[in-house]
Amino acid sequence: MSGNEMKENGQTAEKEETHEHLPNIRRLNREELAGLMAALGEPAFRASQLHRWLYSHQAFDFETMSTFGRKLRQRLASEWSIRPASLADSESETVDEGSTTPLSTAKFTIRLEDGELVESVLIPSEERMTACISSQVGCPLRCDFCATGHMGFRRNLAASEMTDQAFLLDSEAMKLHGRGLTNIVFMGMGEPLLNLDNVFESIATLSEADYRFSISERKITISTVGLPAEMERIARSGLKTKLAISLHSADQGVRERMMPVAIDITLDKLTAAISSYNSITGQPVTLVYMLLEGVNDSPEEARKLVRFAKRGLCKINLIDYNSIVNLKFKPGCSSSKTMFIQRLLDAGLLVTVRKSQGAAINAACGQLATRQAR
Ligand code: SF4
C-alpha cells in the first residue's frame, strides 16, 4: 500500500499544514510496514529498520533516518508524514505530603492526530512508576459508575497511539521525578480486549528488547471486564503480561445493574474463563473490586466475593471510587473497607488495597473521561 493509495481511500483528512495532508505512517502496524517496504522494492530488513527509527529512536523526520539512502528517505517523505500523539493538558494532585519527596499522581490529556482526546495517568510510588493508558476513545460497554462509559464509543486507538501514551508519560516521569516508567496498565479509557490486535501490537513494541524504551511484559497489566474469548486469546498468546478483571460484585444481580455486559457474561461464564486462563498460563488473575456504599459493601457481598475468588486462582485488589464521576454512587466507608479486607484475609486470599491516590483527579479505571467529553 502506498501513502497515496491510503490518501485516496479517504483514511486521512486533508489539512493545510505542511505534510499533514499525507497519511501518518505511525498508523501502520509491523505487517503493513513490511508491505510498504516490499511495495517500494526494498529488502525485508528495511521494515525492521523503519520500525526501529519510528519507535526506538522516535524519529519525527524521515531525513534523520541515516541507515536509508537519500532516494528512499525522499520517497517516504513525499508520501507519508510522522505524527505522534501529543500532550494537550495535565493536572496533578499531591498525595503524600509526609514523604521527603511528595509524590503526585498526574493525569494527562493526550491529543490524537484526528483531534480526539484520551487520558493517561502517571501514578508514582516509592518503588514504582506506573502509567495507566487508554485503549479506546470512549467505551461501548457503558458501566453505570464509569465516566468513560457515559461518553459512548468513538473509536479504537491505533497501536502507536497506545505506545505514544507510554512514551509521553515516560518522558514526563523523567521530568517530574527523575525516573522512568516501571509498570504499564491498560486500565484507562476503554475496554482493551475489544481492541486486542492493537493492544498486542503496542505491547510488542513497548517490550522490544533492545529499543530505547523497553519494558518487560511481566510489568504490563491488561485490565478487562472479563470477555471470555479474548481472555483465552491472551492466555494462548504466550504473553507474560498480567490480567486484571473488573469484578465489582460477586452477586449476579448487583453486577448486572452496575455493568450491562454482565447480563451476557454471567459470573458462571466468568468463573469458567478464569479457570481456563489459570490452567493455560499457570498464573492468577487479579479481581478488581471498587467498594460502593450500599451497593456492594455488605458482609454478604464480602462472603460472595470470597466464594467467587476461591473458585479460581485469584488475587483481590480493592480500589476507591471517586464520587465526582457519578453522584449516584459513593465510595464505601472505611469501616466497610476494613471489614472487607479482614474477611478476605481470614479466607486466606491475597489482598492489595489501592490508596485513594488520584481521587481528586479521577485517576482510576472507569473514572476517566476527557474534560471536553464531560
Ligand atoms: S469501566 Fe471500563 S469497560 Fe466499563 S464502561 Fe468504563 S471503560 Fe468501559
Side-chain angles (χ1 to χ4, degrees), residues 136 138-150 187-192 223-225 246 248 259 261 365-368:
Q136 297 182 312
C139 179
L141 297 185
R142 297 183 178 276
C143 301
D144 200 18
F145 52 82
C146 173
T148 307
H150 286 281
M187 202 185 258
M189 297 167 70
E191 164 56 63
S223 172
T224 175
V225 293
S246 298
H248 304 319
M259 306 168 75
V261 70
C365 173
Q367 301 185 46
L368 296 175

Side-chain angles (χ1 to χ4, degrees), residues 3 33 56 137 167 179 209 275 346:
L33 288 178
S56 183
V137 184
F167 289 167
R179 55 198 167 103
S275 299
D346 289 348

